[in-house]
Each structure stands twice: as structure tokens, then as C-alpha cells.
């Protein structure tokens, strides 16, 4: 089985994103949000069958761990109340996709984070998504201010209520920022990769893994700048007398393969142990074009993994085994959802 651990509902029905626009406008005008639009199963089916499901089939992958559109989370917009309603709407839609395509999608939640608001706000939504929807993880935004980095770092006890909840449910978090509202940071070109790199470095300089020995984080987009600069982080850990970086981080931190060229994948697989690499493509996502050098989509990351000089057993870990281990609830959810499939 080939499990893509990083996909977003970037093709969601228009009324859904339209309502978000209305909600934010109503908030700015000091008015209540309009009622949420109704969307039929057929509307949802259409967006998936012509989108993510089609690409899964073309590329030979089986299952996507699926969450709401990341740039659309917009935790810097509105306030805690608007975030709560928006996260609920987005997660509900993911749940509907997983119910309609139970063999192809398993859900991950976006959180109702809001710049400056306590992450405690997120706990009820996590409970709902795990207990009622069968979701297997969350996306945790380390910068709800959208590119201004005004909230405390992930090392701070500020985040501990979310970490406690993650451990309680045995769910990992993908460290994933949303859109940038800071014009100095392009959303997918710099803010995403900065978020990955900063998140790793914040966790490295923390006692989070001492306090939560079983907690797990996925650093997406190939780990941002981290694998390329592994020597720097090893040296920083050494200078700060934190011990060996591998011992400090690799029981708890994992990297996905959203790296859009073969040399980057080669570096990732050379630097990071195969046990810490999870297959992912983030399709349909940030980079949608075809690479003229290869004739294939940049985000067709399975092709790069196929070309790596790794054993079949190691590729099996990257494609499936590691995801089942890191997302501890995944195997049970796959079994349960498959049983409901027609
Ligand atoms: Zn993403």
C-alpha cells in the first residue's frame, strides 16, 4: 500500500470557500456570519473524482492522509470564534470526503487556532475530530499570526495543552503554517519552508521530548531547510550541550518527502534515516506544473522515491510502514473505513 501522508482539500466546492469570505467580511462589519451553505455529496464527489482521486490513480498511490487546505486555514484572520466555526466547517468537509471515499482518504484536522489565543481553544475540536470523525492527526500552525511570528515558540509550555491532547489520543501533528499576510514572506515559497525549519529548531531547543517522550511531529516539505543543514543543527546541538542530534530528535520527529526534484530526495534519504521518512506529495498543492527537465509533474514525488538506491524493504517503510507507525491510529482506521467501502 502506498500512503501519501500529506494532502489538502485544495479543490473544495466553491460555496465552502465563498462562505469563508462572507464570514470574514461579516466579522469585519461586526455582523453575524451567514448560515453555512449546504453542499451535496455529488458536489463533493465531483471535486475529488476529477482531482485528488484521479491523480492517485494516475500515479499509483492508494491512500492520502487528507486535511483542509493549509493556506486557507488563515489563523490570522478574524478571531478565535471565527476560527472555531471555520475549522469545524473544514473538518466536517474532510470527514465527508473520507466517508464518500473510505478507501482513499483518511482525515487529519486543522485546528481552530487564532493569533494570540490560547491553544486550549483547540482541544474540543481535536476530541471531536478523533472521536467522531476517526481522524488520525492534526496540523499544528507554529505561527498563527501568518508570517509575523507573534506567538510563543513550540518549545513554550503555552502549547502543552495541545501536546497533552496529542499524547492522550496517540495522534501526531504535522507542523504546518498557513498563508502569509506578511509581504516579505511568500506563502509557499518561503513561509512554508521557514515554518518547517523554525518548527524543527524550536522543538530542538526545548524539553518537549523529555516531557512528552512518545509525542510525534512530522516536519513537512522535506523538513524545510533542515536536512540540507543537518551538520549545522548537529553542531548547534553539540555547542549547546544537548547531546547527539539524532538521539535528541529522531524518536519524535519525522520528515515527509514533499521535495520536488530528485537531488533533493537523494539528499533527504542520505541524511535522514529511512525510519524517519514518510512518503508525501502534497498534491494537488503548491506546485502544479510539469518539470520540462523530466516531463513529469514536480509534485509526482513517488517517481523520485522509486529511483532512490534503497532496498524494497526500506522503500516499504517510506511508502507505508512509517506512516502506520507515526500515525498510531491509522491501521485501525484503514481497517474500519475499508469495511464500510462499497
Ligand atoms: Zn501542506
Amino acid at each position: 500500500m502506498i500512503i501519501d501522508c500529506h494532502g489538502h482539500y485544495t479543490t473544495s466546492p466553491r460555496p465552502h470557500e465563498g462562505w469563508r469570505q462572507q464570514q470574514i467580511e461579516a466579522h469585519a462589519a461586526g455582523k453575524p456570519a451567514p448560515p453555512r451553505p449546504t453542499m451535496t455529496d455529488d458536489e463533493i464527489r465531483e471535486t475529488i473524482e476529477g482531482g485528488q482521486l484521479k491523480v492517485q490513480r494516475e500515479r499509483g498511490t492508494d491512500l492520502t492522509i487528507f486535511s483542509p487546505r493549509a493556506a486557507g486555514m488563515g489563523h490570522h484572520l478574524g478571531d478565535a470564534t471565527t476560527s472555531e466555526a471555520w475549522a469545524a466547517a473544514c473538518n466536517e468537509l474532510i470527514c465527508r470526503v473520507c466517508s464518500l471515499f473510505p478507501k482513499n482518504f483518511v482525515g487529519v484536522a486543522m485546528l481552530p487556532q487564532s493569533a494570540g489565543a490560547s491553544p486550549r481553544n483547540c482541544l474540543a475540536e481535536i476530541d471531536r475530530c478523533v472521536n467522531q470523525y476517526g481522524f488520525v492527526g492534526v496540523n499544528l500552525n507554529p505561527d498563527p499570526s501568518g508570517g509575523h511570528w507573534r506567538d510563543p515558540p513550540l518549545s513554550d509550555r503555552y502549547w502543552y495543552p495541545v501536546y497533552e491532547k496529542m499524547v492522550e489520543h496517540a495522534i501526531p501533528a504535522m507542523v504546518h503554517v498557513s498563508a502569509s499576510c506578511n509581504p516579505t514572506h511568500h506563502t509557499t515559497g518561503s513561509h512554508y519552508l521557514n515554518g518547517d525549519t523554525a518548527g524543527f529548531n524550536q522543538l530542538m531547543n526545548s524539553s518537549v521530548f523529555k516531557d512528552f517522550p512518545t509525542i510525534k511531529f512530522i516536519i513537512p516539505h522535506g523538513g524545510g531547510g533542515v536536512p540540507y543543514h543537518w551538520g549545522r543543527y548537529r553542531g548547534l546541538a553539540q555547542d549547546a550541550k544537548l547531546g547527539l542530534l539524532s538521539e535528541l530528535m529522531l524518536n519524535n520527529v519525522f520528515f515527509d518527502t514533499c521535495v520536488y526534484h530528485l537531488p533533493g530526495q537523494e539528499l533527504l534519504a542520505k541524511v535522514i534515516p529511512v525510519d524517519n521518512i514518510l512518503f508525501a506529495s502534497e498534491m494537488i498543492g503548491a506546485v502544479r506544473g510539469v518539470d520540462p527537465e523530466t516531463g513529469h509533474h514536480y509534485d509526482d514525488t513517488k517517481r523520485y522515491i522509486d529511483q532512490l538506491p534503497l532496498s524494497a524493504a526500506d522503500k516499504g517503510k517510506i511508502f507505508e510502514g512509517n506512516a502506520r507507525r507515526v500515525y498510531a491510529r491509522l491501521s485501525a482506521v484503514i481497517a474500519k473505513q475499508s469495511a464500510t467501502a462499497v
Side-chain angles (χ1 to χ4, degrees):
M1 189 173 203
I2 295 186
I3 300 170
D4 183 338
C5 80
H6 186 171
H8 304 291
Y9 196 6
T10 48
T11 57
S12 64
R14 276 171 187 275
H16 175 65
E17 296 284 344
W19 180 79
R20 169 62 165 174
Q21 189 74 31
Q22 294 169 351
Q23 183 213 28
I24 291 301
E25 283 167 9
H27 177 264
K31 295 177 184 164
R36 270 163 52 186
T38 48
M39 284 165 279
T40 64
D41 286 351
D42 281 344
E43 273 179 275
I44 294 172
R45 268 195 206 99
E46 195 181 321
T47 65
I48 293 290
E49 279 170 352
Q52 286 82 358
L53 190 66
K54 180 168 166 277
V55 179
Q56 277 185 0
R57 285 174 178 154
E58 284 167 359
R59 297 184 184 175
T61 64
D62 300 299
L63 179 95
T64 302
I65 297 180
F66 205 49
S67 59
R69 192 169 71 88
M73 297 189 296
H75 297 131
H76 57 284
L77 300 171
D79 59 16
T81 311
T82 50
S83 282
E84 200 178 307
W86 178 230
C90 290
N91 290 330
E92 189 183 305
L93 206 50
I94 294 296
C95 176
R96 289 182 68 188
V97 170
C98 298
S99 306
L100 290 169
F101 302 96
K103 286 184 141 174
N104 303 94
F105 298 93
V106 166
V108 153
M110 75 171 257
L111 300 178
Q113 294 178 248
S114 182
S118 166
R120 281 183 196 283
N121 277 359
C122 302
L123 303 185
E125 185 65 10
I126 298 175
D127 283 338
R128 203 164 71 92
C129 287
V130 173
N131 296 332
Q132 290 181 34
Y133 295 165
F135 286 8
V136 298
V138 296
N139 289 335
L140 180 65
N141 183 352
D143 174 28
S145 71
H148 292 282
W149 294 91
R150 292 196 182 111
D151 291 73
L154 296 178
S155 50
D156 198 281
R157 296 185 76 85
Y158 179 78
W159 299 96
Y160 275 28
V162 171
Y163 300 163
E164 285 162 9
K165 191 53 82 178
M166 286 164 59
V167 170
E168 178 192 326
H169 287 305
I171 54 170
M174 182 174 278
V175 176
H176 203 312
V177 294
S178 185
S180 167
C181 63
N182 178 344
T184 62
H185 296 318
H186 183 276
T187 293
T188 50
S190 69
H191 186 44
Y192 276 26
L193 305 180
N194 296 345
D196 307 335
T197 310
F200 177 90
N201 192 47
Q202 290 169 5
L203 290 168
M204 173 185 151
N205 293 292
S206 81
S207 54
V208 171
F209 304 141
K210 286 196 182 74
D211 297 337
F212 302 95
T214 61
I215 201 166
K216 291 184 174 60
F217 293 92
I218 298 107
I219 311 287
H221 318 112
V226 171
Y228 193 70
H229 287 287
W230 196 245
R232 171 177 292 253
Y233 293 109
R234 283 177 54 225
L236 286 169
Q238 187 174 314
D239 290 350
K241 307 211 181 323
L242 298 173
L244 286 176
L245 186 65
S246 54
E247 288 174 9
L248 184 66
M249 300 300 282
L250 293 180
N251 288 322
N252 307 92
V253 172
F254 301 82
F255 299 86
D256 83 8
T257 66
C258 294
V259 174
Y260 294 158
H261 65 155
L262 181 59
Q265 296 281 359
E266 288 169 337
L267 182 135
L268 179 68
K270 198 169 177 182
V271 173
I272 302 298
V274 285
D275 287 338
N276 291 74
I277 301 174
L278 275 64
F279 172 67
S281 69
E282 204 178 24
M283 68 85 181
I284 297 167
V287 177
R288 301 191 180 197
V290 170
D291 183 347
E293 293 182 9
T294 65
H296 300 289
H297 285 88
Y298 289 98
D299 67 0
D300 188 354
T301 54
K302 179 173 170 292
R303 285 180 175 277
Y304 310 130
I305 316 287
D306 286 340
Q307 292 173 69
L308 293 178
L310 296 173
S311 67
D314 281 350
K315 286 183 187 176
K317 288 181 177 179
I318 293 174
F319 282 132
E320 178 179 7
N322 294 340
R324 288 184 184 269
R325 188 162 48 89
V326 172
Y327 294 84
R329 305 177 77 98
L330 181 61
S331 288
V333 171
I334 288 173
K336 192 174 172 194
Q337 288 192 186
S338 293
T340 70
V342 182

